[in-house]
Amino acid sequence: MTLRILVADDHEIVRRGLCAIVHAQTGWEVCGEASDGRSAVGMTRELRPDVVILDLSMPEMNGLEATRQIVKAEPKIRILMLTQHDTDQVVREVLDAGARGYLLKTDASRELVSAIEALRNNKTYFTSRVAAMVLEGYLRGDVTPGASLVKRERLTPREREVVQLLAEGKSTKEVAVALDLSVKTAETHRANIMRKLEIHSVSELVMYAVGNGIVQVPGFSSGG
């Protein structure tokens, strides 16, 4: 099946570069281009692409808000955020908005294909420098490796399954279907996981999953 990708960036030269990389891949196509976040949301609803590449900083509606609206309307669509910023705060906001890919513009020419392939396979993708930050624990409040492993052991095998699916971007309902559970049971697992790990957001859950090897970041190992 053809992988359909929508590209949204307010700089035409950047869009052209991204589209050129996509067109060079067999079985991939650019189904639409947008120059602002509002247009990206509208085109996503109309075209229903498999992956949306979103610039974080766009006129009319930024990439964060566009991501929130796209994920709310079409939760199965994978969002790859493209940005010039790699601070922990921006990473947290991007993940909390619902994106599962985070790529620096300076790395796009080298890593775009790998990032899209990861999202295509329901995996999380961080640009190299951000992945290093995650795996070193900076985005998890400087949690020590020992404390992290202790927390991991507190999860049951079923809970680790739930963590992986949630970290990969699945909704609670999708988790329930994947594991043949009732939605209520899946919601209970999610609540228990958040309580056990003492985390309060999706971004923290993703960071935990990556740091403990539950979700794999291409090219990196958690060492656990």
Side-chain angles (χ1 to χ4, degrees), residues 170-186:
K170 288 182 170 55
S171 66
T172 305
K173 183 176 180 180
E174 289 173 322
V175 170
V177 171
L179 299 179
D180 195 23
L181 305 171
S182 69
V183 174
K184 184 175 181 180
T185 299

Side-chain angles (χ1 to χ4, degrees), residues 126-140 143-145 148 206-224:
F126 296 102
T127 202
S128 300
R129 276 181 283 173
V130 173
M133 291 166 63
V134 173
L135 297 179
E136 288 169 9
Y138 296 136
L139 302 186
R140 291 180 286 114
V143 175
T144 64
S148 181
V206 173
M207 299 307 173
Y208 170 82
V210 172
N212 285 281
I214 296 174
V215 170
Q216 296 300 315
V217 175
F220 287 82
S221 170
S222 66

